C-alpha cells in the first residue's frame, strides 16, 4: 500500500519543501514528477493506504532504514543512495566533500595525462 500519492502530497508542493523521503511506497509517480520537490521512496504502489497509513506527527525524530533522522538534519540523496548529515556537522562534511571532489578531479586529470591549470 502507499504512504501517499499525488493528491496527499499536493499540499507539500506549495510549502517550499525540498523533498519527500518515505520509508515505504508512494503512488502517482507521474503526478509527483510535476511537483517542485524531489521524492525518494522504496517503490511505487497502486493501492491507496489512507485507511491504514496516516501521518501522526511532524518535526520529530524518525527512523528510516535503521537511521535516525532528526529535525534540522540534512539529507543528500541520488540514484546510488543517501546519507543523513546532522545539522551540527554540515559545514565540516561539506568541506571534506569539496576536498574529496578536488582530489578526484586532480586524479582524473592525471589519468588523462592533462596538466592542471593555475588556480585549480
Amino acid at each position: 500500500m502507499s504512504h501517499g500519492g499525488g493528491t496527499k502530497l499536493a499540499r507539500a508542493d506549495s510549502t517550499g519543501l525540498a523533498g519527500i523521503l518515505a520509508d515505504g511506497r508512494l503512488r502517482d509517480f507521474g503526478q509527483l514528477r510535476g511537483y517542485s520537490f524531489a521524492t525518494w521512496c522504496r517503490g511505487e504502489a497502486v493501492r491507496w493506504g489512507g485507511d491504514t497509513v496516516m501521518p501522526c506527527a511532524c518535526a520529530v525524530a524518525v527512523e528510516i532504514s535503521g537511521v535516525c533522522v532528526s529535525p534540522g538534519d540534512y539529507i543528500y540523496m541520488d540514484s546510488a543512495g543517501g546519507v543523513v548529515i546532522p545539522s551540527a556537522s554540515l559545514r565540516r562534511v561539506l568541506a571534506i566533500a569539496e576536498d574529496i571532489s578536488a582530489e578526484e578531479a586532480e586524479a582524473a586529470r592525471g589519468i588523462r595525462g592533462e596538466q592542471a591549470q593555475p588556480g585549480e
Side-chain angles (χ1 to χ4, degrees), residues 68-107:
C68 180
V69 181
S70 297
D73 286 351
Y74 290 81
I75 300 175
Y76 175 82
M77 307 259 330
D78 63 18
S79 60
V83 61
V84 177
I85 306 168
S87 59
S89 301
L90 183 62
R91 289 185 191 273
R92 187 169 142 253
V93 169
L94 289 176
I96 292 168
E98 288 175 3
D99 290 345
I100 292 170
S101 181
E103 290 172 9
E104 289 178 348
E106 179 64 31

PDB file of all heavy atoms in Angstrom, residues 68-107:
ATOM      1  N   CYS A  68      18.546   7.207  12.312  1.00  0.00           N
ATOM      2  CA  CYS A  68      17.759   8.263  12.950  1.00  0.00           C
ATOM      3  C   CYS A  68      17.896   9.557  12.148  1.00  0.00           C
ATOM      4  O   CYS A  68      18.995   9.972  11.802  1.00  0.00           O
ATOM      5  CB  CYS A  68      18.246   8.488  14.373  1.00  0.00           C
ATOM      6  SG  CYS A  68      17.321   9.779  15.234  1.00  0.00           S
ATOM      7  N   VAL A  69      16.776  10.174  11.835  1.00  0.00           N
ATOM      8  CA  VAL A  69      16.736  11.465  11.157  1.00  0.00           C
ATOM      9  C   VAL A  69      16.021  12.424  12.092  1.00  0.00           C
ATOM     10  O   VAL A  69      14.865  12.205  12.451  1.00  0.00           O
ATOM     11  CB  VAL A  69      15.997  11.384   9.809  1.00  0.00           C
ATOM     12  CG1 VAL A  69      16.004  12.740   9.117  1.00  0.00           C
ATOM     13  CG2 VAL A  69      16.605  10.318   8.913  1.00  0.00           C
ATOM     14  N   SER A  70      16.727  13.476  12.512  1.00  0.00           N
ATOM     15  CA  SER A  70      16.170  14.453  13.449  1.00  0.00           C
ATOM     16  C   SER A  70      15.811  15.738  12.727  1.00  0.00           C
ATOM     17  O   SER A  70      16.414  16.061  11.691  1.00  0.00           O
ATOM     18  CB  SER A  70      17.197  14.763  14.543  1.00  0.00           C
ATOM     19  OG  SER A  70      17.477  13.598  15.287  1.00  0.00           O
ATOM     20  N   PRO A  71      14.862  16.488  13.245  1.00  0.00           N
ATOM     21  CA  PRO A  71      14.538  17.780  12.638  1.00  0.00           C
ATOM     22  C   PRO A  71      15.802  18.629  12.509  1.00  0.00           C
ATOM     23  O   PRO A  71      16.612  18.705  13.434  1.00  0.00           O
ATOM     24  CB  PRO A  71      13.551  18.396  13.628  1.00  0.00           C
ATOM     25  CG  PRO A  71      12.910  17.220  14.281  1.00  0.00           C
ATOM     26  CD  PRO A  71      14.020  16.198  14.413  1.00  0.00           C
ATOM     27  N   GLY A  72      16.001  19.235  11.350  1.00  0.00           N
ATOM     28  CA  GLY A  72      17.178  20.060  11.093  1.00  0.00           C
ATOM     29  C   GLY A  72      18.307  19.320  10.414  1.00  0.00           C
ATOM     30  O   GLY A  72      19.245  19.942   9.905  1.00  0.00           O
ATOM     31  N   ASP A  73      18.270  17.979  10.377  1.00  0.00           N
ATOM     32  CA  ASP A  73      19.300  17.223   9.673  1.00  0.00           C
ATOM     33  C   ASP A  73      19.175  17.476   8.176  1.00  0.00           C
ATOM     34  O   ASP A  73      18.104  17.814   7.669  1.00  0.00           O
ATOM     35  CB  ASP A  73      19.146  15.717   9.924  1.00  0.00           C
ATOM     36  CG  ASP A  73      19.573  15.285  11.302  1.00  0.00           C
ATOM     37  OD1 ASP A  73      20.154  16.117  12.043  1.00  0.00           O
ATOM     38  OD2 ASP A  73      19.331  14.119  11.641  1.00  0.00           O
ATOM     39  N   TYR A  74      20.279  17.301   7.477  1.00  0.00           N
ATOM     40  CA  TYR A  74      20.287  17.423   6.027  1.00  0.00           C
ATOM     41  C   TYR A  74      20.399  16.029   5.436  1.00  0.00           C
ATOM     42  O   TYR A  74      21.120  15.180   5.959  1.00  0.00           O
ATOM     43  CB  TYR A  74      21.470  18.281   5.566  1.00  0.00           C
ATOM     44  CG  TYR A  74      21.300  19.726   5.927  1.00  0.00           C
ATOM     45  CD1 TYR A  74      21.601  20.185   7.203  1.00  0.00           C
ATOM     46  CD2 TYR A  74      20.805  20.641   4.996  1.00  0.00           C
ATOM     47  CE1 TYR A  74      21.424  21.514   7.549  1.00  0.00           C
ATOM     48  CE2 TYR A  74      20.629  21.972   5.337  1.00  0.00           C
ATOM     49  CZ  TYR A  74      20.941  22.392   6.614  1.00  0.00           C
ATOM     50  OH  TYR A  74      20.760  23.708   6.956  1.00  0.00           O
ATOM     51  N   ILE A  75      19.681  15.809   4.356  1.00  0.00           N
ATOM     52  CA  ILE A  75      19.709  14.516   3.689  1.00  0.00           C
ATOM     53  C   ILE A  75      20.137  14.748   2.252  1.00  0.00           C
ATOM     54  O   ILE A  75      19.554  15.566   1.547  1.00  0.00           O
ATOM     55  CB  ILE A  75      18.332  13.826   3.731  1.00  0.00           C
ATOM     56  CG1 ILE A  75      17.920  13.609   5.177  1.00  0.00           C
ATOM     57  CG2 ILE A  75      18.362  12.517   2.962  1.00  0.00           C
ATOM     58  CD1 ILE A  75      16.539  13.053   5.364  1.00  0.00           C
ATOM     59  N   TYR A  76      21.176  14.021   1.840  1.00  0.00           N
ATOM     60  CA  TYR A  76      21.616  14.071   0.440  1.00  0.00           C
ATOM     61  C   TYR A  76      21.287  12.726  -0.166  1.00  0.00           C
ATOM     62  O   TYR A  76      21.661  11.681   0.367  1.00  0.00           O
ATOM     63  CB  TYR A  76      23.118  14.343   0.333  1.00  0.00           C
ATOM     64  CG  TYR A  76      23.575  14.263  -1.097  1.00  0.00           C
ATOM     65  CD1 TYR A  76      23.413  15.355  -1.944  1.00  0.00           C
ATOM     66  CD2 TYR A  76      24.105  13.097  -1.615  1.00  0.00           C
ATOM     67  CE1 TYR A  76      23.783  15.275  -3.274  1.00  0.00           C
ATOM     68  CE2 TYR A  76      24.478  13.014  -2.940  1.00  0.00           C
ATOM     69  CZ  TYR A  76      24.318  14.101  -3.763  1.00  0.00           C
ATOM     70  OH  TYR A  76      24.675  14.013  -5.089  1.00  0.00           O
ATOM     71  N   MET A  77      20.576  12.750  -1.280  1.00  0.00           N
ATOM     72  CA  MET A  77      20.209  11.513  -1.972  1.00  0.00           C
ATOM     73  C   MET A  77      20.484  11.665  -3.455  1.00  0.00           C
ATOM     74  O   MET A  77      20.340  12.745  -4.018  1.00  0.00           O
ATOM     75  CB  MET A  77      18.714  11.212  -1.787  1.00  0.00           C
ATOM     76  CG  MET A  77      18.223  11.187  -0.389  1.00  0.00           C
ATOM     77  SD  MET A  77      17.975   9.624   0.432  1.00  0.00           S
ATOM     78  CE  MET A  77      17.558   8.430  -0.730  1.00  0.00           C
ATOM     79  N   ASP A  78      20.890  10.572  -4.063  1.00  0.00           N
ATOM     80  CA  ASP A  78      20.943  10.499  -5.516  1.00  0.00           C
ATOM     81  C   ASP A  78      20.556   9.075  -5.899  1.00  0.00           C
ATOM     82  O   ASP A  78      20.102   8.312  -5.045  1.00  0.00           O
ATOM     83  CB  ASP A  78      22.314  10.929  -6.068  1.00  0.00           C
ATOM     84  CG  ASP A  78      23.463  10.043  -5.624  1.00  0.00           C
ATOM     85  OD1 ASP A  78      23.223   8.900  -5.169  1.00  0.00           O
ATOM     86  OD2 ASP A  78      24.614  10.490  -5.742  1.00  0.00           O
ATOM     87  N   SER A  79      20.753   8.708  -7.151  1.00  0.00           N
ATOM     88  CA  SER A  79      20.303   7.391  -7.595  1.00  0.00           C
ATOM     89  C   SER A  79      21.082   6.252  -6.945  1.00  0.00           C
ATOM     90  O   SER A  79      20.631   5.109  -6.954  1.00  0.00           O
ATOM     91  CB  SER A  79      20.396   7.290  -9.119  1.00  0.00           C
ATOM     92  OG  SER A  79      21.742   7.485  -9.519  1.00  0.00           O
ATOM     93  N   ALA A  80      22.241   6.532  -6.360  1.00  0.00           N
ATOM     94  CA  ALA A  80      23.045   5.491  -5.716  1.00  0.00           C
ATOM     95  C   ALA A  80      22.674   5.267  -4.261  1.00  0.00           C
ATOM     96  O   ALA A  80      23.013   4.246  -3.677  1.00  0.00           O
ATOM     97  CB  ALA A  80      24.532   5.842  -5.819  1.00  0.00           C
ATOM     98  N   GLY A  81      22.008   6.222  -3.630  1.00  0.00           N
ATOM     99  CA  GLY A  81      21.653   6.077  -2.226  1.00  0.00           C
ATOM    100  C   GLY A  81      21.585   7.418  -1.538  1.00  0.00           C
ATOM    101  O   GLY A  81      21.468   8.454  -2.190  1.00  0.00           O
ATOM    102  N   GLY A  82      21.714   7.408  -0.214  1.00  0.00           N
ATOM    103  CA  GLY A  82      21.583   8.652   0.529  1.00  0.00           C
ATOM    104  C   GLY A  82      22.382   8.634   1.809  1.00  0.00           C
ATOM    105  O   GLY A  82      22.860   7.595   2.259  1.00  0.00           O
ATOM    106  N   VAL A  83      22.517   9.818   2.373  1.00  0.00           N
ATOM    107  CA  VAL A  83      23.227   9.978   3.636  1.00  0.00           C
ATOM    108  C   VAL A  83      22.526  11.059   4.447  1.00  0.00           C
ATOM    109  O   VAL A  83      22.033  12.040   3.904  1.00  0.00           O
ATOM    110  CB  VAL A  83      24.718  10.334   3.403  1.00  0.00           C
ATOM    111  CG1 VAL A  83      24.870  11.643   2.664  1.00  0.00           C
ATOM    112  CG2 VAL A  83      25.499  10.367   4.693  1.00  0.00           C
ATOM    113  N   VAL A  84      22.466  10.843   5.762  1.00  0.00           N
ATOM    114  CA  VAL A  84      21.905  11.822   6.681  1.00  0.00           C
ATOM    115  C   VAL A  84      23.063  12.565   7.323  1.00  0.00           C
ATOM    116  O   VAL A  84      23.981  11.950   7.863  1.00  0.00           O
ATOM    117  CB  VAL A  84      21.051  11.144   7.773  1.00  0.00           C
ATOM    118  CG1 VAL A  84      20.529  12.171   8.765  1.00  0.00           C
ATOM    119  CG2 VAL A  84      19.899  10.371   7.145  1.00  0.00           C
ATOM    120  N   ILE A  85      23.038  13.888   7.251  1.00  0.00           N
ATOM    121  CA  ILE A  85      24.094  14.717   7.827  1.00  0.00           C
ATOM    122  C   ILE A  85      23.485  15.524   8.971  1.00  0.00           C
ATOM    123  O   ILE A  85      22.626  16.369   8.738  1.00  0.00           O
ATOM    124  CB  ILE A  85      24.685  15.678   6.774  1.00  0.00           C
ATOM    125  CG1 ILE A  85      25.156  14.903   5.544  1.00  0.00           C
ATOM    126  CG2 ILE A  85      25.818  16.499   7.387  1.00  0.00           C
ATOM    127  CD1 ILE A  85      25.479  15.779   4.347  1.00  0.00           C
ATOM    128  N   PRO A  86      23.927  15.253  10.212  1.00  0.00           N
ATOM    129  CA  PRO A  86      23.418  16.051  11.326  1.00  0.00           C
ATOM    130  C   PRO A  86      23.718  17.530  11.095  1.00  0.00           C
ATOM    131  O   PRO A  86      24.790  17.890  10.602  1.00  0.00           O
ATOM    132  CB  PRO A  86      24.187  15.513  12.536  1.00  0.00           C
ATOM    133  CG  PRO A  86      24.602  14.130  12.130  1.00  0.00           C
ATOM    134  CD  PRO A  86      24.856  14.218  10.650  1.00  0.00           C
ATOM    135  N   SER A  87      22.788  18.400  11.431  1.00  0.00           N
ATOM    136  CA  SER A  87      22.940  19.829  11.135  1.00  0.00           C
ATOM    137  C   SER A  87      24.222  20.407  11.734  1.00  0.00           C
ATOM    138  O   SER A  87      24.863  21.261  11.129  1.00  0.00           O
ATOM    139  CB  SER A  87      21.716  20.612  11.601  1.00  0.00           C
ATOM    140  OG  SER A  87      21.523  20.442  12.991  1.00  0.00           O
ATOM    141  N   ALA A  88      24.640  19.929  12.899  1.00  0.00           N
ATOM    142  CA  ALA A  88      25.852  20.447  13.538  1.00  0.00           C
ATOM    143  C   ALA A  88      27.115  20.076  12.771  1.00  0.00           C
ATOM    144  O   ALA A  88      28.158  20.704  12.940  1.00  0.00           O
ATOM    145  CB  ALA A  88      25.950  19.928  14.968  1.00  0.00           C
ATOM    146  N   SER A  89      27.034  19.077  11.895  1.00  0.00           N
ATOM    147  CA  SER A  89      28.209  18.609  11.146  1.00  0.00           C
ATOM    148  C   SER A  89      28.223  19.075   9.700  1.00  0.00           C
ATOM    149  O   SER A  89      29.161  18.761   8.967  1.00  0.00           O
ATOM    150  CB  SER A  89      28.238  17.068  11.157  1.00  0.00           C
ATOM    151  OG  SER A  89      28.283  16.581  12.468  1.00  0.00           O
ATOM    152  N   LEU A  90      27.216  19.809   9.273  1.00  0.00           N
ATOM    153  CA  LEU A  90      27.074  20.122   7.853  1.00  0.00           C
ATOM    154  C   LEU A  90      28.286  20.842   7.279  1.00  0.00           C
ATOM    155  O   LEU A  90      28.817  20.438   6.243  1.00  0.00           O
ATOM    156  CB  LEU A  90      25.806  20.942   7.599  1.00  0.00           C
ATOM    157  CG  LEU A  90      25.549  21.254   6.124  1.00  0.00           C
ATOM    158  CD1 LEU A  90      25.344  19.972   5.323  1.00  0.00           C
ATOM    159  CD2 LEU A  90      24.356  22.174   5.976  1.00  0.00           C
ATOM    160  N   ARG A  91      28.759  21.903   7.906  1.00  0.00           N
ATOM    161  CA  ARG A  91      29.896  22.658   7.355  1.00  0.00           C
ATOM    162  C   ARG A  91      31.129  21.781   7.223  1.00  0.00           C
ATOM    163  O   ARG A  91      31.840  21.832   6.221  1.00  0.00           O
ATOM    164  CB  ARG A  91      30.191  23.878   8.209  1.00  0.00           C
ATOM    165  CG  ARG A  91      29.143  24.965   8.103  1.00  0.00           C
ATOM    166  CD  ARG A  91      29.574  26.203   8.898  1.00  0.00           C
ATOM    167  NE  ARG A  91      28.509  27.150   9.032  1.00  0.00           N
ATOM    168  CZ  ARG A  91      28.240  28.100   8.145  1.00  0.00           C
ATOM    169  NH1 ARG A  91      28.948  28.208   7.063  1.00  0.00           N
ATOM    170  NH2 ARG A  91      27.238  28.931   8.346  1.00  0.00           N
ATOM    171  N   ARG A  92      31.402  20.981   8.237  1.00  0.00           N
ATOM    172  CA  ARG A  92      32.570  20.097   8.194  1.00  0.00           C
ATOM    173  C   ARG A  92      32.431  19.062   7.080  1.00  0.00           C
ATOM    174  O   ARG A  92      33.365  18.804   6.328  1.00  0.00           O
ATOM    175  CB  ARG A  92      32.740  19.409   9.551  1.00  0.00           C
ATOM    176  CG  ARG A  92      34.008  18.620   9.648  1.00  0.00           C
ATOM    177  CD  ARG A  92      34.250  18.190  11.116  1.00  0.00           C
ATOM    178  NE  ARG A  92      34.788  16.858  11.098  1.00  0.00           N
ATOM    179  CZ  ARG A  92      34.146  15.759  11.441  1.00  0.00           C
ATOM    180  NH1 ARG A  92      32.921  15.831  11.892  1.00  0.00           N
ATOM    181  NH2 ARG A  92      34.713  14.590  11.378  1.00  0.00           N
ATOM    182  N   VAL A  93      31.268  18.468   6.949  1.00  0.00           N
ATOM    183  CA  VAL A  93      31.036  17.461   5.915  1.00  0.00           C
ATOM    184  C   VAL A  93      31.173  18.084   4.523  1.00  0.00           C
ATOM    185  O   VAL A  93      31.784  17.500   3.623  1.00  0.00           O
ATOM    186  CB  VAL A  93      29.657  16.796   6.102  1.00  0.00           C
ATOM    187  CG1 VAL A  93      29.277  15.951   4.903  1.00  0.00           C
ATOM    188  CG2 VAL A  93      29.646  15.961   7.377  1.00  0.00           C
ATOM    189  N   LEU A  94      30.632  19.282   4.322  1.00  0.00           N
ATOM    190  CA  LEU A  94      30.751  19.950   3.020  1.00  0.00           C
ATOM    191  C   LEU A  94      32.206  20.271   2.693  1.00  0.00           C
ATOM    192  O   LEU A  94      32.643  20.110   1.544  1.00  0.00           O
ATOM    193  CB  LEU A  94      29.896  21.218   2.987  1.00  0.00           C
ATOM    194  CG  LEU A  94      28.390  20.994   2.955  1.00  0.00           C
ATOM    195  CD1 LEU A  94      27.650  22.322   3.019  1.00  0.00           C
ATOM    196  CD2 LEU A  94      27.971  20.193   1.733  1.00  0.00           C
ATOM    197  N   ALA A  95      32.977  20.698   3.681  1.00  0.00           N
ATOM    198  CA  ALA A  95      34.396  20.988   3.448  1.00  0.00           C
ATOM    199  C   ALA A  95      35.148  19.718   3.046  1.00  0.00           C
ATOM    200  O   ALA A  95      35.968  19.731   2.111  1.00  0.00           O
ATOM    201  CB  ALA A  95      35.030  21.604   4.697  1.00  0.00           C
ATOM    202  N   ILE A  96      34.874  18.621   3.728  1.00  0.00           N
ATOM    203  CA  ILE A  96      35.509  17.344   3.381  1.00  0.00           C
ATOM    204  C   ILE A  96      35.094  16.909   1.981  1.00  0.00           C
ATOM    205  O   ILE A  96      35.927  16.450   1.183  1.00  0.00           O
ATOM    206  CB  ILE A  96      35.158  16.267   4.427  1.00  0.00           C
ATOM    207  CG1 ILE A  96      35.812  16.607   5.773  1.00  0.00           C
ATOM    208  CG2 ILE A  96      35.567  14.882   3.958  1.00  0.00           C
ATOM    209  CD1 ILE A  96      35.304  15.773   6.937  1.00  0.00           C
ATOM    210  N   ALA A  97      33.824  17.060   1.647  1.00  0.00           N
ATOM    211  CA  ALA A  97      33.329  16.687   0.318  1.00  0.00           C
ATOM    212  C   ALA A  97      34.008  17.516  -0.769  1.00  0.00           C
ATOM    213  O   ALA A  97      34.362  16.987  -1.833  1.00  0.00           O
ATOM    214  CB  ALA A  97      31.814  16.848   0.248  1.00  0.00           C
ATOM    215  N   GLU A  98      34.198  18.814  -0.526  1.00  0.00           N
ATOM    216  CA  GLU A  98      34.890  19.665  -1.506  1.00  0.00           C
ATOM    217  C   GLU A  98      36.339  19.217  -1.683  1.00  0.00           C
ATOM    218  O   GLU A  98      36.852  19.188  -2.807  1.00  0.00           O
ATOM    219  CB  GLU A  98      34.836  21.125  -1.076  1.00  0.00           C
ATOM    220  CG  GLU A  98      33.462  21.731  -1.237  1.00  0.00           C
ATOM    221  CD  GLU A  98      33.365  23.147  -0.697  1.00  0.00           C
ATOM    222  OE1 GLU A  98      34.381  23.712  -0.245  1.00  0.00           O
ATOM    223  OE2 GLU A  98      32.255  23.686  -0.734  1.00  0.00           O
ATOM    224  N   ASP A  99      37.024  18.857  -0.598  1.00  0.00           N
ATOM    225  CA  ASP A  99      38.400  18.347  -0.689  1.00  0.00           C
ATOM    226  C   ASP A  99      38.455  17.063  -1.509  1.00  0.00           C
ATOM    227  O   ASP A  99      39.325  16.904  -2.373  1.00  0.00           O
ATOM    228  CB  ASP A  99      38.984  18.093   0.703  1.00  0.00           C
ATOM    229  CG  ASP A  99      39.254  19.367   1.484  1.00  0.00           C
ATOM    230  OD1 ASP A  99      39.272  20.461   0.872  1.00  0.00           O
ATOM    231  OD2 ASP A  99      39.445  19.264   2.714  1.00  0.00           O
ATOM    232  N   ILE A 100      37.539  16.162  -1.246  1.00  0.00           N
ATOM    233  CA  ILE A 100      37.500  14.894  -1.987  1.00  0.00           C
ATOM    234  C   ILE A 100      37.232  15.145  -3.458  1.00  0.00           C
ATOM    235  O   ILE A 100      37.874  14.556  -4.332  1.00  0.00           O
ATOM    236  CB  ILE A 100      36.445  13.940  -1.389  1.00  0.00           C
ATOM    237  CG1 ILE A 100      36.893  13.479  -0.007  1.00  0.00           C
ATOM    238  CG2 ILE A 100      36.180  12.758  -2.311  1.00  0.00           C
ATOM    239  CD1 ILE A 100      35.826  12.738   0.780  1.00  0.00           C
ATOM    240  N   SER A 101      36.308  16.049  -3.764  1.00  0.00           N
ATOM    241  CA  SER A 101      35.992  16.371  -5.154  1.00  0.00           C
ATOM    242  C   SER A 101      37.216  16.934  -5.880  1.00  0.00           C
ATOM    243  O   SER A 101      37.501  16.554  -7.021  1.00  0.00           O
ATOM    244  CB  SER A 101      34.829  17.363  -5.208  1.00  0.00           C
ATOM    245  OG  SER A 101      34.489  17.662  -6.525  1.00  0.00           O
ATOM    246  N   ALA A 102      37.965  17.815  -5.211  1.00  0.00           N
ATOM    247  CA  ALA A 102      39.166  18.386  -5.818  1.00  0.00           C
ATOM    248  C   ALA A 102      40.227  17.309  -6.048  1.00  0.00           C
ATOM    249  O   ALA A 102      40.878  17.277  -7.100  1.00  0.00           O
ATOM    250  CB  ALA A 102      39.724  19.501  -4.937  1.00  0.00           C
ATOM    251  N   GLU A 103      40.402  16.410  -5.081  1.00  0.00           N
ATOM    252  CA  GLU A 103      41.367  15.313  -5.228  1.00  0.00           C
ATOM    253  C   GLU A 103      40.981  14.395  -6.383  1.00  0.00           C
ATOM    254  O   GLU A 103      41.844  13.968  -7.155  1.00  0.00           O
ATOM    255  CB  GLU A 103      41.450  14.505  -3.930  1.00  0.00           C
ATOM    256  CG  GLU A 103      42.117  15.236  -2.795  1.00  0.00           C
ATOM    257  CD  GLU A 103      42.005  14.482  -1.477  1.00  0.00           C
ATOM    258  OE1 GLU A 103      41.554  13.304  -1.467  1.00  0.00           O
ATOM    259  OE2 GLU A 103      42.363  15.082  -0.438  1.00  0.00           O
ATOM    260  N   GLU A 104      39.697  14.094  -6.513  1.00  0.00           N
ATOM    261  CA  GLU A 104      39.245  13.227  -7.600  1.00  0.00           C
ATOM    262  C   GLU A 104      39.423  13.892  -8.950  1.00  0.00           C
ATOM    263  O   GLU A 104      39.797  13.245  -9.926  1.00  0.00           O
ATOM    264  CB  GLU A 104      37.794  12.814  -7.379  1.00  0.00           C
ATOM    265  CG  GLU A 104      37.626  11.842  -6.237  1.00  0.00           C
ATOM    266  CD  GLU A 104      36.186  11.464  -5.972  1.00  0.00           C
ATOM    267  OE1 GLU A 104      35.262  12.117  -6.520  1.00  0.00           O
ATOM    268  OE2 GLU A 104      35.976  10.512  -5.193  1.00  0.00           O
ATOM    269  N   ALA A 105      39.174  15.199  -9.024  1.00  0.00           N
ATOM    270  CA  ALA A 105      39.371  15.921 -10.286  1.00  0.00           C
ATOM    271  C   ALA A 105      40.841  15.906 -10.675  1.00  0.00           C
ATOM    272  O   ALA A 105      41.184  15.707 -11.848  1.00  0.00           O
ATOM    273  CB  ALA A 105      38.861  17.354 -10.161  1.00  0.00           C
ATOM    274  N   GLU A 106      41.723  16.101  -9.707  1.00  0.00           N
ATOM    275  CA  GLU A 106      43.163  16.059  -9.965  1.00  0.00           C
ATOM    276  C   GLU A 106      43.591  14.667 -10.423  1.00  0.00           C
ATOM    277  O   GLU A 106      44.373  14.522 -11.363  1.00  0.00           O
ATOM    278  CB  GLU A 106      43.943  16.473  -8.708  1.00  0.00           C
ATOM    279  CG  GLU A 106      45.437  16.446  -8.873  1.00  0.00           C
ATOM    280  CD  GLU A 106      45.955  17.435  -9.907  1.00  0.00           C
ATOM    281  OE1 GLU A 106      45.354  18.497 -10.086  1.00  0.00           O
ATOM    282  OE2 GLU A 106      46.984  17.121 -10.548  1.00  0.00           O
ATOM    283  N   ALA A 107      43.096  13.638  -9.777  1.00  0.00           N
ATOM    284  CA  ALA A 107      43.420  12.267 -10.163  1.00  0.00           C
ATOM    285  C   ALA A 107      42.941  11.971 -11.578  1.00  0.00           C
ATOM    286  O   ALA A 107      43.658  11.352 -12.372  1.00  0.00           O
ATOM    287  CB  ALA A 107      42.805  11.274  -9.170  1.00  0.00           C
TER     288      ALA A 107
END
